[in-house]
Amino acid sequence: MKASGHDEFREFVAMRSTALLRLAVLLTGGDRYAAEDLLQIALMKAYGRWASIEQPEAYVRQILYRQQVNRWRLRRHRAETTVPVLPDSAAEGDAGAGSELRIALWAALRRLSKRQRTVVVLRYFEDLPEGEVAALLGCPVGTVRSTAHRSLAKLRALVPELGPEGPEGTGAPVEQVTQLSYAPGGVRG
């Protein structure tokens, strides 16, 4: 690779690695170390083809999706992540009132299967259409629809505060999932 390509790659990593890591954390269910590994693999693959990539961020995101799909296809069983006890309810007008719901939703996302979590992240966090999610996962659109439906139902069951109502009848998790973000040391909205 030419020196200019190397510099462009370094600049891309410096500018976009935080957003890409946030996506990787969501795809891995909050496992920061697995997310860092996932992003590292994606960046290594992108670096090898950097000179021929037209849209670097889209290319790296595609690698992230596919690598995560490969991980859950391997069906490695890992120990479950323990969920901390949530604090008492916040007082009215408390600036952190929504954080309890985000923490509960974050914990619920970790309890979804890897496939369910991947569909939820691609469909609602990344806001990809069902057809595109199906193409990325290599499955029919109907599978994406049914997986998304079951995933949202499970999220509502795990976090009753979300309630059955929501935008277009899909439930509140859609809004909450898109507001999740990762911060070192915890979740923030």
Side-chain angles (χ1 to χ4, degrees), residues 149-175:
H149 178 76
R150 283 191 305 272
S151 302
L152 292 177
K154 187 171 182 177
L155 285 174
R156 284 190 290 272
L158 292 170
V159 186
E161 301 95 298
L162 295 173
E165 300 303 319
E168 303 171 1
T170 59
V174 177
E175 291 178 341

Side-chain angles (χ1 to χ4, degrees), residues 25-94:
V25 167
L26 286 169
L27 288 171
T28 59
D31 185 343
R32 168 109 184 183
Y33 300 110
E36 288 173 350
D37 290 345
L38 184 64
L39 181 58
Q40 183 70 25
I41 290 167
L43 291 174
M44 286 183 345
K45 288 184 175 192
Y47 182 78
R49 299 189 44 86
W50 190 254
S52 63
I53 298 173
E54 291 180 24
Q55 297 178 343
E57 184 157 355
Y59 188 84
V60 172
R61 285 176 178 264
Q62 184 93 353
I63 295 170
L64 286 170
Y65 305 148
R66 290 188 175 164
Q67 281 300 121
Q68 183 60 19
V69 168
N70 289 340
R71 285 181 177 205
W72 56 253
R73 282 189 178 153
L74 291 176
R75 300 195 187 273
R76 289 187 196 164
H77 295 286
R78 302 179 101 185
E80 288 188 24
T81 306
T82 58
V83 179
V85 178
L86 295 176
D88 292 335
S89 297
E92 283 188 42
D94 185 358

